[in-house]
Amino acid sequence: MNLKSLQIKIILIFSLPAIALLYFSYSLVNENYIKYKNSTSYAFSAKQTKILSKLIHNLQLERGLSAGYLVSKDEIIRKNLEKQYKHTDSAYQDLIHFSNAYQYLKKQFHSITAVRRKVLKTQISFWDEMQYYNTLNKELLQAITALMHNLESKSYNGKALIELQKLKEYVGQERAYVYNQILAPKKNEKYIHYIHLLQEKEKKLQTIFYICASKNTQNIFKQLIQKETVQKTAALRTMFFQDKLSSKEDAKIWFQTASQYITQLYNVSSHILNTIVTDALQTQKDIKRVFTYTIIFWILSFISFFLLLYYINALIRKEDKLLAKIRIASHTFDSHEAIVITDKNGVVLEVNKSFTRITGYKANEIIGQTTKLLKSGKHSKEFYANMWHQLLSSGQWKGDIYNKRKNGEIYPERLSITAIKDKNGEIINFIAQFYDISDLRNAQEEAQYQANHDFLTGLMNRKALLQRLHEENAKAIRHSFIHAFLFIDLDNFKQVNDTYGHHVGDELLIQVSHRMRSILREEDILARISGDEFAIILVNIAETKEAAKEYAQKKCHSIIEALSRTFVIEGNEIHIGASIGIKIFPDEKHNIENIMNDADKAMYVAKKNGKNSCSIYSEI
C-alpha cells in the first residue's frame, strides 16, 4: 500500500463520521424549521378562517333579517336589523385589520351601504337583496376554502371544515327564504322550489361532512349540535310546507330556531379552529426551544465538516469518474416523478420506478434506446427544434408535451429537462423529470364543461349562450350573415310540476330538449337559460331579412308542433305548448342584450295572443 492510497483512506475514514454528523444535525434543523413554519402557518390560517367565518355569520344574520323586513316592514325587525349592521361592520373591520390580503373586499363592502339603505326604504326586491348577500358570502367562502386546505392534520380535516361552512351558508339562505315566505301575503312557487333544492343540498353536504370528518371533528359536531334544535327545525320545515306557518310570531320562531342551528354550526367550526390555534401556538413554543439547541449543534457539525472540506475537495477533483457519478446520484432517484438519465445524444442510461409506472417500459426495455421511442407524433419538427435550442442554450427546458406509452396510448405530461455539464462546461448528460397530467387535464375539461352547461339537460347554460351569441353576432356583422334568436317559454309547465312533481317536470325538460335538438341543424345553438325557458340561435339562415323571418317562423312552427305532441312520462300523458319570440339579427344596435330583450318581448306578445304561437319582434 503506497502513501497516497493510505492518505486517501485516512481522509475517508475521518470524513464519513463528520458527514454523518453534519447530515444528522442538518436534518434536525430542517425538520424543526419545517415544523415551526407549519405551526405558524396553521395558526395564521386558523385565525384568518375564524375571522372570515365570523364575518360570514354576521352577513347571514343580516341577510335573513333583511329578507323578513322587505316583506313585513315590521319595526321590530328594522331595529334588530340596524343593530345587526353594527355587528357586521365590526366583524368586517376585524378582518381588514388582521390582514392586508383582504383589501379587495373594500369595494364590495362600500356598496353594502347603498343596499342597506334600499332595504330600509324597501326599494330593493327580495331577489336582488338575496343575490347581493349570496354573492358576497360566496367570495368569502372561497377565501375560507383556500385557507382550510392548510389546516389538514391527523386530528382535524380541512375538507370537512369546508363542507361545514358550505352547509352553514345553505342553511342561512334557507332561513332567509322561509322567513320571507312566512311573512309574504302570497307564496312564491319559485322560492318554494328553491327552498326544496337548498334542503337537498344541505343533506348532501352533511353526508359529505361525515365522510370527510375525522373522529375528533365528528365528536365535536355531535356535542355542539343539539338534537332538540335539529328536531324543532325539521318540524318547522314540515309545518311550512303544509302552510301552517303564516303569522309574524311563526316567522319569529322560525328565525330564532334556524339561527340557533346556524349558531351551533358556527360554534363547531370555531371550536375546531380554536383548538388548532392553541395546538399550533404550543407547538411553536416547544419547537422554538428545540430549534435553538439544534442550530448550535448544526453549527458545530458544520465547523467539523469544514475542517475536512479541503481534503475531500482535493480527492473529488482527482477522481473525475467519481465526480460524474456523484453529479448523477445527487439528483434524487426515488421521486414520485418519472426520472430518465441520458447521455448527450439522448441514449437512455437509467430510469426510475415511476418511469416504468407511467410509460410501461421496464428498465431493460428502454436502457440503450433513445428517447425518440416515446414520441407521440403530435408535435411538429419545429416544436422539437425549439426545445433543443432552448435546452442547449440555457441548459433547461420546461413545458407540457404529449408522449406515448408502451401500449400505444398517448398521454400529456409535464416535463423538465436539465443539462449536466462537466468541469469544462461541456454537456455530458441530460436528466429529464416528468409526471402524467392526464387527471389534471380531465379535471380542467370537466370543470369547464360544468361551468358552461345546464346540469339537467346537458345543454348550454345562460353564460355559454351569451358568449356564443356575442361570437355569432360579431361573425354576422363581419360576414354579412343573418341569424335568428328564438326565446322559448314553455306553456303550462308550472301545472306539470304542481300536478306530477318536480321529478316529472325535470324529465319533461329533458325530453323537450331532445325534441328541439332533433329539429335543428347541427350548426344551430340550443340552450336552457333558466327554469322552463330555452333559447335557440339559428345560424346564417338566409340572405335577406324577409327570407330569414320566413325561415325562422317555419322553424318555430316545427318546434311548436313537436312540443304540442303528447309526452308520456311514468305512464302520464302530458300536454304542453310553447310561446316563442323571434329576433332577427344583427341589427343597427349591434348589442347582444338588445337581441335577448327584443326576443323576450316578442315571446310575451305570443303569450298574449293565446300562447302556443310565435311572434317576430319587428311585428310588435
Side-chain angles (χ1 to χ4, degrees):
M1 180 183 293
N2 58 42
L3 181 60
K4 180 178 179 181
S5 176
L6 180 60
Q7 288 175 337
I8 291 174
K9 289 184 179 180
I10 292 174
I11 291 172
L12 285 174
I13 290 171
F14 283 96
S15 294
L16 289 175
I19 293 172
L21 184 63
L22 180 62
Y23 177 79
F24 177 72
S25 60
Y26 171 78
S27 298
L28 286 176
V29 171
N30 188 57
E31 179 182 354
N32 284 291
Y33 173 75
I34 292 173
K35 289 181 180 179
Y36 183 82
K37 187 177 179 180
N38 287 343
S39 63
T40 303
S41 176
Y42 279 11
F44 187 76
S45 296
K47 288 177 182 178
Q48 284 191 78
T49 303
K50 185 178 177 182
I51 294 172
L52 281 166
S53 178
K54 180 182 177 182
L55 177 56
I56 292 174
H57 186 67
N58 280 279
L59 284 169
Q60 289 168 342
L61 282 169
E62 185 173 322
R63 175 180 59 197
L65 289 168
S66 298
Y69 181 74
L70 285 174
V71 72
S72 68
K73 300 180 182 178
D74 187 282
E75 281 302 311
I76 296 177
I77 298 178
R78 181 189 178 98
K79 290 180 180 179
N80 291 334
L81 187 55
E82 290 173 339
K83 291 180 182 178
Q84 182 56 46
Y85 289 160
K86 296 179 181 179
H87 294 311
T88 303
D89 291 342
S90 176
Y92 166 67
Q93 290 301 324
D94 289 343
L95 178 65
I96 294 300
H97 291 156
F98 183 79
S99 174
N100 292 326
Y102 299 99
Q103 296 298 319
Y104 69 92
L105 290 174
K106 285 188 175 181
K107 183 177 181 181
Q108 289 90 324
F109 272 87
H110 180 74
S111 64
I112 201 173
T113 304
V115 173
R116 288 171 173 174
R117 190 185 309 115
K118 290 180 181 180
V119 169
L120 294 177
K121 293 182 179 181
T122 62
Q123 293 177 346
I124 187 174
S125 69
F126 168 70
W127 176 257
D128 289 340
E129 178 260 342
M130 287 295 293
Q131 288 302 302
Y132 174 81
Y133 284 104
N134 291 354
T135 301
L136 188 55
N137 279 348
K138 183 179 180 181
E139 288 190 22
L140 295 173
L141 282 172
Q142 288 174 346
I144 284 181
T145 299
L147 288 168
M148 283 186 176
H149 284 302
N150 295 326
L151 301 181
E152 296 285 345
S153 69
K154 293 181 179 179
S155 301
Y156 302 99
N157 187 279
K159 172 66 174 174
L161 289 175
I162 293 171
E163 301 307 313
L164 186 64
Q165 292 291 339
K166 291 179 182 178
L167 172 61
K168 181 170 170 287
E169 170 60 9
Y170 284 133
V171 175
Q173 290 185 29
E174 180 191 0
R175 173 179 62 187
Y177 277 104
V178 173
Y179 193 41
N180 175 274
Q181 288 297 289
I182 293 174
L183 294 173
K186 183 180 179 181
K187 296 293 187 293
N188 185 313
E189 291 299 325
K190 179 180 179 181
Y191 295 158
I192 300 298
H193 175 61
Y194 191 68
I195 292 168
H196 279 292
L197 292 178
L198 286 172
Q199 291 178 358
E200 291 175 4
K201 290 178 180 179
E202 290 165 23
K203 292 179 182 178
K204 183 177 179 181
L205 283 171
Q206 191 161 345
T207 300
I208 297 174
F209 168 80
Y210 268 103
I211 292 173
C212 297
S214 64
K215 290 184 178 180
N216 284 356
T217 303
Q218 291 178 5
N219 290 336
I220 292 171
F221 187 90
K222 292 176 182 178
Q223 291 170 7
L224 297 181
I225 301 299
Q226 299 176 3
K227 290 184 179 180
E228 295 81 3
T229 302
V230 175
Q231 292 171 353
K232 188 174 180 181
T233 302
L236 288 171
R237 286 170 172 165
T238 302
M239 293 173 67
F240 170 75
F241 289 120
Q242 293 174 349
D243 289 331
K244 293 181 180 180
L245 302 179
S246 58
S247 67
K248 290 184 178 180
E249 185 61 25
D250 291 337
K252 180 180 179 182
I253 293 171
W254 160 255
F255 191 88
Q256 291 175 343
T257 304
S259 296
Q260 288 174 358
Y261 182 43
I262 293 171
T263 299
Q264 290 168 17
L265 291 172
Y266 174 73
N267 291 339
V268 172
S269 177
S270 297
H271 183 91
I272 294 171
L273 292 170
N274 286 336
T275 304
I276 293 174
V277 171
T278 302
D279 292 347
L281 292 175
Q282 183 60 45
T283 302
Q284 278 182 288
K285 185 178 179 180
D286 295 339
I287 291 176
K288 190 173 182 180
R289 183 176 62 256
V290 175
F291 188 65
T292 302
Y293 295 114
T294 307
I295 284 289
I296 296 172
F297 180 69
W298 182 71
I299 291 173
L300 293 174
S301 300
F302 184 82
I303 293 172
S304 299
F305 179 75
F306 186 80
L307 294 174
L308 294 172
L309 186 61
Y310 173 79
Y311 300 103
I312 295 174
N313 285 336
L315 180 62
I316 292 175
R317 284 195 299 269
K318 293 177 181 179
E319 299 290 342
D320 291 336
K321 291 183 179 181
L322 180 60
L323 178 60
K325 291 182 179 181
I326 291 175
R327 284 197 187 100
I328 295 174
S330 65
H331 294 269
T332 179
F333 218 61
D334 292 328
S335 172
H336 68 282
E337 295 182 344
I339 299 177
V340 55
I341 301 173
T342 73
D343 64 13
K344 63 181 180 180
N345 298 315
V347 176
V348 177
L349 303 177
E350 196 67 63
V351 297
N352 68 350
K353 293 179 181 179
S354 293
F355 177 91
T356 299
R357 174 176 55 80
I358 294 174
T359 67
Y361 286 102
K362 295 179 180 178
N364 60 356
E365 294 174 325
I366 193 68
I367 291 175
Q369 303 285 341
T370 68
T371 53
K372 292 180 181 180
L373 189 65
L374 303 174
K375 280 188 176 181
S376 65
K378 295 194 70 171
H379 300 289
S380 63
K381 292 181 179 179
E382 290 77 11
F383 174 86
Y384 291 107
N386 291 333
M387 175 195 290
W388 279 103
H389 175 74
Q390 182 178 340
L391 185 57
L392 295 175
S393 60
S394 68
Q396 285 188 328
W397 185 89
K398 294 180 179 180
D400 292 348
I401 187 172
Y402 283 95
N403 268 338
K404 184 170 63 176
R405 307 187 208 273
K406 180 181 177 181
N407 61 9
E409 178 187 353
I410 295 175
Y411 68 98
E413 68 180 36
R414 190 148 291 167
L415 173 64
S416 174
I417 306 175
T418 302
I420 305 299
K421 300 179 181 180
D422 62 14
K423 61 184 179 181
N424 298 319
E426 297 294 329
I427 295 176
I428 56 174
N429 296 100
F430 292 105
I431 296 181
Q433 295 173 274
F434 63 87
Y435 58 93
D436 189 341
I437 59 172
S438 299
D439 291 341
L440 176 62
R441 289 281 178 87
N442 293 337
Q444 290 172 340
E445 292 172 1
E446 177 64 19
Q448 182 68 21
Y449 180 86
Q450 294 294 339
N452 291 287
H453 289 79
D454 173 48
F455 75 94
L456 179 64
T457 62
L459 300 177
M460 284 185 185
N461 58 19
R462 185 183 185 88
K463 173 186 171 184
L465 175 70
L466 287 172
Q467 178 63 32
R468 289 299 303 274
L469 182 57
H470 177 79
E471 293 171 359
E472 295 302 331
N473 190 47
K475 285 182 186 177
I477 295 169
R478 189 164 55 250
H479 300 293
S480 299
F481 293 160
I482 299 178
H483 302 334
F485 185 88
L486 310 184
F487 195 107
I488 304 167
D489 185 86
L490 301 183
D491 298 329
N492 305 319
F493 179 76
K494 181 178 179 298
Q495 296 177 10
V496 174
N497 274 339
D498 293 343
T499 304
Y500 302 105
H502 290 283
H503 66 290
V504 173
D506 289 346
E507 178 60 27
L508 177 60
L509 291 173
I510 294 170
Q511 292 192 22
V512 164
S513 67
H514 290 167
R515 289 194 186 182
M516 288 195 290
R517 182 74 268 176
S518 67
I519 294 171
L520 302 177
R521 301 169 301 167
E522 184 176 351
E523 61 266 31
D524 293 334
I525 300 163
L526 174 62
R528 181 188 176 203
I529 52 180
S530 68
D532 59 347
E533 293 179 341
F534 295 80
I536 295 173
I537 302 175
L538 300 176
V539 179
N540 194 17
I541 55 177
E543 295 183 355
T544 66
K545 286 193 175 183
E546 290 303 318
K549 290 178 182 180
E550 183 179 350
Y551 179 90
Q553 285 178 313
K554 288 181 180 179
K555 188 64 69 174
C556 288
H557 290 149
S558 298
I559 293 172
I560 291 170
E561 189 277 329
L563 299 185
S564 297
R565 296 198 302 269
T566 302
F567 290 88
V568 179
I569 301 175
E570 295 185 358
N572 301 302
E573 293 187 356
I574 298 173
H575 299 276
I576 61 170
S579 298
I580 306 176
I582 305 170
K583 168 67 177 183
I584 304 300
F585 72 96
D587 57 16
E588 65 281 357
K589 297 179 182 178
H590 293 174
N591 189 313
I592 62 171
E593 292 296 333
N594 288 333
I595 294 171
M596 291 191 68
N597 290 338
D598 291 347
D600 188 27
K601 292 175 183 177
M603 182 274 292
Y604 276 105
V605 171
K607 287 276 189 187
K608 291 178 181 179
N609 291 339
K611 301 182 179 180
N612 214 30
S613 62
C614 63
S615 175
I616 299 178
Y617 176 75
S618 60
E619 297 176 353
I620 299 174

